[in-house]
Amino acid sequence: MTDTPVRVRFAPSPTGYLHIGGARTALFNWLLARRMKGTFVLRIEDTDEVRSTPDSVNAIVDSIRWLGLDWDEGPTTPKAGGGYESKGPHSPYFQMERQEIYRKYAGQLLSEAKAYKCYCTKDELDAIRRQAQLEKRPPRYDGRCRHLTEAQRADLEAKGRTASVRLRMPDEGATVVHDIVRGDVSFENSLQQDFVIVKTAGGPTYNFACVVDDHLMGITHVTRGDEHLSNTPSQIQLYFALGWEPPIFAHLSMILGPDGQKLSKRHGATSVLEYRDQGYLPETMRNYLALLGWSTKDSQQLFAPGELESKFDLAGCQKNPATFDTVKLKWMNGEYIRARSASALLDDAWPFVEAAGLGGVARDRLTAAVALEREKVKLLSEVPALVDFFFKEVEYQPKAVEKVLKKEGAGKVLEGLGVALAGLEDFREKPLEERIRRFCDENGLKPGQVFHPIRVAVSGRTEGPTLFGMIELLGKAEVLKRLQAARPLAS
């Protein structure tokens, strides 16, 4: 680390939703900023004019906010006519609003002969690549426009050719990337090409804009996915051409699916908001994403609030690919859910509870029902289905009826229970258990011969919360009503 205050950035391209890889990158940058008491910048790299959309920007911002990653500089609130207000001294934080800045530095490179105009058409560039492949050479641009004279350029422009701008890369030697995760990675300059920094339409390319912005925004550490490693030698040469010092780089390991292939939609949801909609907690996602390519020395798995921010460091990042395992993710979510109070869990699950039509139920009764089932919950979306039978008409599962209520003697059990419980004044859990067990003894029945029928009769299912707590919460009148209603289904 340097003595300079740490400034990091997450700079997504708004061409779709925020996926797991991007979320992991955002998290690692945020954790580094918080650990080092630095600054976390959100910058939108919208130079892909064809695929960038406002909806994608909104989805990315919503995803980062849901994950709980607050940023110190960047877009804040949406404007009425589109776009976002920004906070921070380096505004704007959308690259398409920074065109004049890029033009300035492209002009500087051209004037210093460190860049040149390239008039090659797409067809000509394709032909160069094909020829290189036929000759078993790297399919790189051959630099044919490097030495055009002013007259030749004027002639091409008179013919209607529009030019891109390319950075002139060194022909010899190597560019070394000093990477915190991977160590020194060397790239032979002879295998690199003069890359485009300004497109023919006039807009900057990613490699150009991100370097200019990272320098002007004072970014000290660039932490990103390993797919960007191949871009880094070009970016480093751009820093050198502009007379700037490159930041510290850290390229994070690839994320694989359980089958060892690169994580994709075939492995399930890849968008962060899909996990929110499935019922995962943001704390779970932060904890799990942090373990994709990073670990503490003691391989800690679960982190209390604030622990990740205090323990994260880039030295703990690993080169080897990380595996995204939804089984482990769901287990972890269950661990976080069980650590919550019933009231807090109900708050978390409220969108799902409301969507299931339970929003009008008294809060105290909902909380009590959630408390009974909390140990079983692994996803917030599971909460309504676990507790809805308390508040709606019983829907009898056919298998439950066949397996339990159709057993010989079940009807008599329900009838006898109705009488026994009608005379019970104290309808709380302990007295209920004592009275029902006494009913078993009085009738020479095993507990299972009584417990199972009453459970199915009052809930419609064979599984659920603790029996006597469930009966207490339903209340005497409702239990007696349900026992009576179930009798015609029983043998």
Side-chain angles (χ1 to χ4, degrees), residues 216-286:
L216 296 182
M217 293 182 182
I219 301 303
T220 60
H221 296 69
V222 171
T223 302
R224 56 192 180 186
D226 68 348
E227 67 272 17
H228 291 288
L229 182 59
S230 60
N231 293 324
T232 309
S234 298
Q235 294 174 8
I236 287 175
Q237 288 299 332
L238 186 49
Y239 277 102
F240 293 161
L242 289 165
W244 299 336
E245 182 180 348
I248 296 169
F249 290 101
H251 287 90
L252 307 174
S253 61
M254 184 183 294
I255 302 176
L256 306 178
D259 60 358
Q261 300 299 308
K262 186 173 181 181
L263 189 68
S264 67
K265 286 187 177 180
R266 71 176 177 277
H267 297 111
T270 56
S271 158
V272 168
L273 294 180
E274 286 181 87
Y275 287 95
R276 177 198 65 184
D277 296 343
Q278 287 178 18
Y280 286 92
L281 291 164
E283 299 96 311
T284 301
M285 295 304 296
R286 289 199 301 273

Side-chain angles (χ1 to χ4, degrees), residues 395-415:
E395 294 182 11
Y396 293 96
Q397 296 173 347
K399 284 185 179 179
V401 172
E402 195 62 37
K403 181 180 177 182
V404 177
L405 295 187
K406 291 300 183 186
K407 273 194 173 179
E408 188 175 347
K412 284 189 176 181
V413 168
L414 297 182
E415 183 180 1

